[in-house]
Amino acid sequence: MAALVAEQSPDFPVVVALGSVDPALVSGVLDGHCRFVAAPGEAELAVAEGAIARADARVDRALLRQAPALRVIARTGVGTDLIDVPAATPISRCSMFGAQMDTTSTSGSASTSR
């Protein structure tokens, strides 16, 4: 029932998948808090506040222009080879599994947690 409410509520922040993300894998975390869109179009990207980026997803200036409300990029893999970090720096936080990079930090440091 929570999944139905989350999908139907326009008041929840939108989180989009960048690449193939099984909704069943994120429903326990996002349901009741966010509206997850597994196959976003232009309209969903335009209002997305969060993105789950798979290892093969390219996050570049063009994508970021399509998603002006984006505040969080969560990487499911390791590394930032396909993420344009300078272009993503104005976003409040960029997260990776096991590590977080605070782009609002003046030191540019990254912290890890396990």
Side-chain angles (χ1 to χ4, degrees):
M1 185 65 153
L4 265 180
V5 172
E7 287 178 22
Q8 295 175 356
S9 178
D11 297 329
F12 285 131
V14 173
V15 175
V16 296
L18 302 177
S20 178
V21 177
D22 183 352
L25 294 176
V26 297
S27 64
V29 175
L30 299 180
D31 283 356
H33 304 284
C34 300
R35 184 168 60 95
F36 179 69
V37 180
E42 288 181 26
E44 292 89 4
L45 284 172
V47 297
E49 293 183 37
I52 299 173
R54 294 298 306 231
D56 60 347
R58 182 171 299 280
V59 180
D60 56 13
R61 289 183 193 279
L63 178 100
L64 293 170
R65 277 194 296 274
Q66 293 177 0
L70 196 59
R71 298 291 169 258
V72 176
I73 301 168
R75 272 281 282 119
T76 60
V78 295
T80 57
D81 292 348
L82 296 180
I83 297 177
D84 183 342
V85 175
T89 297
I91 294 173
S92 295
R93 295 187 75 75
C94 295
S95 299
M96 294 170 281
F97 183 82
Q100 266 189 350
M101 179 177 65
D102 183 351
T103 60
T104 61
S105 169
T106 56
S107 67
S109 63
S111 62
T112 59
S113 58
R114 294 186 190 239

